[in-house]
Amino acid sequence: MHIPDGYLSPLTCIITYAAALPLWVIAFRKLKEKLDEQTLPLIASLSALSFIIMMFNIPIPGGTSGHAVGASLIAILFGPWVASLCVSLVLLIQALIFGDGGITTFAANALAMGFMASFSTYYIYRFFERKAFAPFISGWVGIVSASTMVAVILGIQPLIASSEGKPLYFPFGLDLAIPAVIGSHMLFFGVVEGIFTLIAYRYIVSNKLLKGVSA
Amino acid sequence: MKKLAYPLLFIFILLPLGLISENPAWAEWENEYYHDILGFIPEGIQNAFALPSIIPDYSLGGLNDVVSYYLSGIVGIVLIFGIFYLFGKKIAR
């Protein structure tokens, strides 16, 4: 799901940065409110866990691979703003140090894997709060929502940026991007995120690693 | 603290499992892929803005894949904890 540099038209990059900047400012304020001696080690650890979990590339049929994100776990424990900012930080490190995801596309990636995943997770979690499967289903929805955003952003590129019939940036349209990206996340990576979120959430609750969160 | 650190350490030890996949992610192909499929490489992809990465694709030139992957993991974790440590200091003031 990490969109590389060169895959999105300059206009897409500008719009995604313009949309993400104010959201990052709000998210930073929310993070400041939540950080204290008790939450800081846990939020930092879950961010590190998000980074690590994205390194587990899972091969799937069809010759591609993917991974979970870890945004959902942070979103249900600390809210969607904190989760969005933590995942954005992870994505920034991946882009700058490891060339995983582009710099020009960082905002698009942060909107999808950060904000989209976190907010969709959070509201689905709220909806099913008292159910045992809530962390699973909200994790699954988070990843599938993020992948939907990525598929649409990629799939519209040939429509908005072509020259003499040749696409200038990402060349495949929505007809290919939507089934490939959303389908694989519905069937595989969303399930992985759901299972991960469920196990990790149960572990954190049963070991009382965060005050105020109970089963 | 141990209850937090131990599972993290366990997951970290499993990190080389992430190297099993030979498959690239969908839409994260090498440029040659476009050449093979489309007969051309889209201009924007060919001339993409690129900063030289410090550890491109989590591999440190010359080092064994598994060692590189572990080191990449450590670099990422140290950076994340470092940034949160600085946040914490700034907020405490």
Side-chain angles (χ1 to χ4, degrees):
Chain A
M1 262 203 280
H2 292 62
I3 303 172
D5 281 314
Y7 277 48
L8 301 181
S9 70
L11 183 65
T12 315
C13 298
I14 291 167
I15 291 172
T16 47
Y17 265 96
L21 273 173
L23 297 175
W24 282 324
V25 172
I26 300 169
F28 190 73
R29 287 198 195 123
K30 300 266 182 185
L31 177 68
K32 266 169 102 175
E33 283 168 20
K34 296 246 169 156
L35 277 186
D36 59 35
E37 280 172 10
Q38 197 223 346
T39 58
L40 190 138
L42 189 55
I43 293 177
S45 299
L46 295 179
S47 303
L49 187 55
S50 162
F51 174 79
I52 291 297
I53 221 77
M54 287 199 241
M55 289 178 79
F56 285 90
N57 296 305
I58 305 155
I60 60 164
T64 68
S65 69
H67 52 74
V69 173
S72 303
L73 179 62
I74 310 177
I76 62 181
L77 290 171
F78 294 102
W81 291 103
V82 170
S84 303
L85 195 70
C86 291
V87 174
S88 296
L89 172 68
V90 170
L91 293 168
L92 185 64
I93 290 170
Q94 288 171 331
L96 289 176
I97 312 288
F98 302 102
D100 192 7
I103 314 262
T104 56
T105 55
F106 164 59
N109 287 327
L111 287 175
M113 282 182 271
F115 289 93
M116 194 70 182
S118 303
F119 277 87
S120 56
T121 292
Y122 181 76
Y123 288 109
I124 295 292
Y125 182 74
R126 286 268 102 130
F127 187 75
F128 289 116
E129 197 154 22
R130 304 211 169 266
K131 305 272 197 298
F133 62 82
F136 173 84
I137 192 77
S138 57
W140 184 86
V141 170
I143 287 290
V144 172
S145 306
S147 74
T148 304
M149 189 164 179
V150 169
V152 171
I153 290 178
L154 285 173
I156 60 172
Q157 295 307 312
L159 295 174
I160 60 177
S162 287
S163 162
E164 292 161 15
K166 277 188 172 181
L168 292 170
Y169 302 96
F170 188 71
F172 304 124
L174 292 164
D175 55 329
L176 286 174
I178 284 181
V181 179
I182 305 177
S184 60
H185 287 83
M186 288 174 85
L187 288 173
F188 302 101
F189 316 124
V191 177
V192 176
E193 179 91 0
I195 294 170
F196 164 77
T197 307
L198 183 64
I199 294 174
Y201 180 77
R202 289 256 175 93
Y203 180 87
I204 288 168
V205 169
S206 61
N207 286 288
K208 300 185 177 63
L209 293 177
L210 179 64
K211 272 179 214 150
V213 175
S214 55
Chain B
M1 220 47 214
K2 280 180 185 166
K3 282 181 174 167
L4 190 57
Y6 285 166
L8 284 174
L9 191 64
F10 176 70
I11 294 167
F12 181 79
I13 289 167
L14 298 178
L15 207 49
L17 289 176
L19 287 167
I20 288 173
S21 171
E22 299 270 311
N23 305 341
W26 202 86
E28 292 179 36
W29 301 291
E30 299 291 330
N31 287 0
E32 291 78 56
Y33 175 88
Y34 295 105
H35 195 269
D36 294 346
I37 299 279
L38 300 167
F40 67 95
I41 302 170
E43 262 175 60
I45 293 179
Q46 176 108 56
N47 308 318
F49 161 87
L51 272 184
S53 317
I54 299 161
I55 311 177
D57 292 322
Y58 306 90
S59 76
L60 284 152
L63 273 183
N64 171 288
D65 281 355
V66 172
V67 175
S68 290
Y69 220 50
Y70 275 131
L71 288 175
S72 298
I74 291 169
V75 168
I77 292 169
V78 167
L79 280 172
I80 290 165
F81 276 99
I83 288 165
F84 273 101
Y85 175 76
L86 293 176
F87 272 176
K89 273 198 131 180
K90 193 167 173 270
I91 289 162
R93 249 192 292 156

